[in-house]
Structure formats: C-alpha cells, structure tokens
Amino acid sequence: MKRRRGRETPPYIELAGFSRIGFFDARCLAAAMAPLRFLTAAVVFASLPPLRSQPVPAGGPIPVTLRVDAAKPHGELKPIYRFFGADEPNYAYMKDGRKLLRDIGALGQPQAYFRTHNLLVTGDGTPGLKWGSSNAYTEDAEGRPIYDWTIVDRIFDAGLAGGVKPYAQIGFMPKALSTRPEPYQHEWRPGFPYNEIYTGWTYPPKDYARWGELVYQWVKHCVERYGAAEVNQWYWEVWNEANIGYWKGTREEFRRLHDFAIAGVRRALPTARVGGPDSAGDGGAFMQEFLEHCLRGKNHATGETGTPLDFVSFHAKGSTPTFEQGRVRMGIGGQLKTIDTAFARFASFPELKGRPIIIGESDPDGCAACQGPHLAYRNTTMYSSYTAASFARKHLLAEKHGVNLEGATTWAFEFEDQPYFAGFRAMATNGIPLPVFNVHRMMARMSGRRVEATSSADRGVEAIIRSSVRGEPDIAALASVDADRRQLTVLVWYYHDDDVAGPVAEIDLSVAGLPAGIAQARVAHYRIDDEHSNAYTVWKKFGSPVAPTRPQYAAMLKASELTRLGGAPAMTEVRDGAAKLKFALPRQGVSLVVLEWE
C-alpha cells in the first residue's frame, strides 16, 4: 500500500516515556522505562474541538478508505460477545468479582453468561490461581453421599444478582468419587510447568451411577431454588477440554461420563439446555467421535440411541505470543484457523444444521493465570484491537460455513487482591476495567442487522488464517443497522500482530443506503487508545503505584469508562442516504462510530 506524504495530517497527542510492555518482571519493567513513543489520534469531525498538533512520524499517516452500505444486509448481527469465563469460580462472589459481574450484566440485553471450572471440586472455597472448590459432594464414614450446595449457590447467586446467568460446567471430579484422589489440590503457580495442575480431580469416577446422581441432585436443587423457567435459560455442559490433560480417562470413558451427566440433568429438568463437549481446539478425532456418538451412538446411561445435544462447543486460542527484540508478537491467524476448521466440521453433519455453536473459550492465548513478557499485551490496547478484529471475523466465518454461532466466551475475568495490572488475562484489575472490556461495551451498542463494510486496508479473513497479520496492518470495520432504533454503528480497528509504534491511520468513512428523507444524523464517536477508555496509561502516569491513593483510584476508574470523543454528539449532513466522516485512528486503536436519526 502506498502512503501519501507531504500533506496536512490529522492532529495527535504525543505520549513519551512509556511502552505497552506490561508489569510482569524485571525485563518488562525495564522495557516500560524505555523512551518509546506511541501516538493517539483524535477524531477530526469539523464540529469537534481539535487536539494539540505535533509532528507526524516518518512515513506519514496510512490512508484508509472505508465503505459501509446500510442497504446491503448480511443477516442478524448476533450478540456473540456476551459470554465470559474463568478457571477460578470463588472469585465470583468476592468484592471485585461481584463488581465485574455487575459490569458484565450492564452490557444489556440479551442476557450475558458466565462459565467457570471447578464447580464440583472438593475443598473449602478458598480461591487460588487455576483452582476453586465448592465441596458439593463428600461421603460419610459409611460411604453415603453428602450434598452441600452452599458454595455453588453463592457462585450462581453472585452472577444472577449482577444480571449474568450460568453457563454451567459440570465438573470436575469430587475427591470422594475420583478413582485416583491423591494428590488432589495442586500447588501450581505462574512459572511452574502447566501440567502440574492436573491432579486427582481429572480422573474418572469410581461409580458412574453416583456421578449421574450427583448431577441430578444438583440440577434438582437449582430448579427448586431458582425455578424451572430460570434454569431453562442456562446452558449445561460436561467437563472442560477432555481431549487434553483435564481428563485422565479414555475417550470412551469421557463419553460415558458425559452420558450419565446429561441423563442426570434431563431427569431433573427434561427441558434443560444441554450440550458440549468444550474441546481444546477444534477437537480433531475426539470431536468427530463425540458428535457421532451423540447423534448416532448408543447412550451409556439410557441404552437409547444418541445423547441430547442442544448446542455444540469447542475452544479457539491464538498462537502462543512471543517476546522478540523487546516486543510482543501475537498470532491471530491461529485462532481464526481453529474456528474455520471447527465450523467446517459442524457443517459436515446434516443433523447439526442450525444447531447453536458456542466457542466456550475464545482468546489470544491459552493461560489466563500465566504471566511473562510474552503476555505483556494484556493491559494494553493491543488486547482490545485483537478482540475487535477477531470477533468481527467470527461473524464472517460463521457466514462462510452457514452455521449458527451463538456465542464466543472470553476466558478472562478478574483475579482478586492481586497487584494492579499484574499481567493476567483479565477484564478488570482491582475493580477497574481494562481497555479490552471497553470493546465489549462497544459491541453491546451494536444491534440489528450486519451490513456490508469494506476497507482498503482489510487484510481479509482467509489471508489472516494463512499468515496472520505480520506485514501490513489490518484496518477494517464491522457495521450494523438497527431500523427500530434508527441507528447505524461502525466498529473500526487498527490491528497488527507486532506491538511496535507506527503511524496513524487516516480514515475516510463513507456511509450509503441510509433511509430516504434523512437530512442529518447525530454522530457519536467512542474510542479506545492510549488516551481514551484506558486506565492502564493513567496508572503509569501516576508512576505505576503499588497502592494507589483514593484520588488516584477514582481517576483510574473514571479513565476505565468507555470514552466519547469531543463530548456531546455532533451533527453530520446526509444527502441521498449518504454521509461522509473523516477521523484518525492510532495503531492498536478501536473506534465505534454511531449515527442516529429521527
């Protein structure tokens, strides 16, 4: 792509003396002090106040032509952003966990969901990294079952109080049921080998009938506590990533485990929504065999043909980030390739046509509780631009394969009472939302039908699957029109796999196909960049305090809100159903442009 030089360029703000390298270890702290420069572009609607101009980096801005046609729909823009999850269930009812659940619930309708591991694990409820427990099942001295729903109720109650419903994961194995109970609770921590987490809770049950009865009693209790109408809105699935170390049995033993669990759910509530298997990646042969079993095989629990499968689920992660030459390098192409492969498999089964699909974990990397310089993107706008670019392509891949994508679960919640911006993959730190959460706030403002959006700098989903985003950046858009709300929304991102500084993008946005008779529209422009919707840069400006003061905390909380550029919405002219807007977008920035009319 040729870049224009020697012309007047949009204003921007220069922020020197910090980098996007996060607060993880000595190498990252050293990098955070390096005199790197990052740019934040301001919107250039003529009616909005300009920002202070500074010299433009060598090469000048990247010209980008965006075209949105509101008269060319591509079907419903499904709210796939509304699923979240975490390994650690007990954080949900702690102070910052409850706050984040309220923030998730405030995204609005339709309903948000929360998936978490360890709901049936034995323990006293004390949280830990990659750990959680509820003590739901124990046995007395004679081996008789003892059911205790106190802790799991607290977890579900916290979500429901915040407006978030359970995506109920049935797992893992209680100690009293495990065929190999010792050692049971792991001692893993960041830096240790990941395989150390797989202890006694990963093993098959010593009695499948007791396992099925445990699930029955749990769902029966939920129906009694919350009502059948409420529980019918939840998702129920068995285990997590049983095709890797999370399951120490065979594939056949997992299918047996799954059948007995689903039979228990349906015995307690015949109309419950059940599915699975939430495989690691597309699942390969494991997924193929699971689907054939559920659709055509003999049910281990009932002896009938098939196992109920109201939805199918799998996981998709980006290629493991690297830390090279002082920078983070991502791999968005790996995640999209997994999704493409999984959708193709589901589409190959005629019985699954139209069946809802949920990506049960959908993230740039594989371990939310891990830390290190290669994960330094998590506090920064690199995470938010990655999220915008990847979620938009999920819609395109679902359209390509003709499948029904219902949701994509962001496996990032919060880690209670950890240091500020500690480098975990999270939606918030100490009650302060991170920039990435504002992408979800942006997507929550989009509704109606997805419409055609083209960009001169769109790398294209097929090209990204082949080679990720390693050359030219990916600068593109997702757009929707909601006729009932008289609104058009355009989500614009500027993403690159390499976390290095670069020139701003000069966006020339043309909108066509607006309803006849409109003379003008209100324009609101929301932005995520180093200066907007970003508490992390404010924390660094304060000197990265370990214990922020009350005024500092209030300032960071304010900075964490989704920011609208220029204050009140401006007005723009509409002629023959068309409007034109120009603005500048910094590297790794995300914009949401909202047009509304009477």
Side-chain angles (χ1 to χ4, degrees), residues 94-141:
M94 300 180 76
K95 63 182 188 309
D96 293 334
R98 292 194 304 271
K99 180 183 182 301
L100 181 53
L101 286 170
R102 290 194 298 271
D103 286 340
I104 291 171
L107 293 174
Q109 296 298 322
Q111 187 68 52
Y113 288 87
F114 183 63
R115 176 177 182 258
T116 183
H117 300 337
N118 299 305
L119 288 174
L120 297 179
V121 167
T122 303
D124 62 5
T126 301
L129 299 181
K130 305 290 294 184
W131 177 258
S133 60
S134 71
N135 226 42
Y137 180 93
T138 54
E139 295 177 353
D140 66 16

Side-chain angles (χ1 to χ4, degrees), residues 15-21 31-38 326 499-501:
L15 299 172
F18 68 89
S19 81
R20 290 190 176 94
I21 302 304
M33 299 173 62
L36 302 177
R37 302 159 88 113
F38 290 85
D499 193 20
V500 296

Side-chain angles (χ1 to χ4, degrees), residues 413-455:
F413 188 57
E414 67 95 20
F415 294 83
E416 198 83 14
D417 295 328
Q418 293 287 339
Y420 285 80
F421 304 98
F424 300 116
R425 192 176 69 237
M427 290 289 102
T429 175
N430 287 277
I432 299 171
L434 295 172
V436 65
F437 189 68
N438 282 312
V439 173
H440 295 271
R441 285 170 167 160
M442 285 180 169
M443 291 187 288
R445 291 173 180 266
M446 305 180 74
S447 59
R449 300 181 69 81
R450 184 167 60 86
V451 297
E452 186 167 300
T454 60
S455 168

Side-chain angles (χ1 to χ4, degrees), residues 144-228:
R144 292 186 294 256
I146 300 173
Y147 303 109
D148 185 349
W149 312 116
T150 304
I151 294 177
V152 76
D153 284 349
R154 291 183 68 189
I155 296 165
F156 284 2
D157 288 351
L160 292 167
V164 180
K165 297 185 184 299
Y167 181 119
Q169 178 186 306
I170 303 171
F172 296 117
M173 194 58 61
K175 187 174 184 179
L177 276 179
S178 175
T179 53
R180 186 175 171 181
E182 297 292 351
Y184 192 74
Q185 182 171 352
H186 64 70
E187 298 181 353
W188 182 89
R189 62 200 68 197
F192 283 17
Y194 190 82
N195 284 345
E196 291 184 9
I197 71 169
Y198 303 132
T199 49
W201 51 267
T202 65
Y203 285 84
K206 62 185 183 183
D207 186 322
Y208 283 90
R210 285 203 175 194
W211 164 255
E213 181 67 16
L214 164 61
V215 177
Y216 164 74
Q217 293 292 341
W218 183 20
V219 179
K220 177 174 174 286
H221 166 78
C222 289
V223 172
E224 292 169 350
R225 182 177 178 85
Y226 304 105

Side-chain angles (χ1 to χ4, degrees), residues 248-292:
K248 294 302 185 182
T250 65
R251 294 179 187 173
E252 184 67 15
E253 286 172 326
F254 172 73
R255 292 191 288 271
R256 185 178 181 88
L257 178 93
H258 178 267
D259 287 354
F260 272 86
I262 296 302
V265 174
R266 283 292 182 86
R267 182 156 63 97
L269 183 61
T271 52
R273 183 163 48 183
V274 296
D278 274 276
S279 63
D282 69 275
F286 169 90
M287 177 67 79
Q288 187 77 16
E289 292 170 6
F290 174 84
L291 295 175
E292 290 173 353

Side-chain angles (χ1 to χ4, degrees), residues 42-86:
V43 65
V44 293
F45 295 128
S47 58
L48 301 183
L51 300 177
R52 177 169 56 89
S53 295
Q54 296 289 343
V56 175
I62 302 173
V64 179
T65 301
L66 291 180
R67 298 289 180 262
V68 173
D69 193 335
K72 294 183 178 180
H74 288 268
E76 178 190 4
L77 181 68
K78 302 198 73 171
I80 63 172
Y81 62 85
R82 59 199 172 100
F83 291 74
F84 297 84

Side-chain angles (χ1 to χ4, degrees), residues 26 50 134 167 252 256 262 306 309 336 410 491 495 596:
S134 71
Y167 181 119
E252 184 67 15
R256 185 178 181 88
I262 296 302
L309 193 63
L336 298 180
T410 297
L491 183 72
Y495 173 74
E596 297 177 312

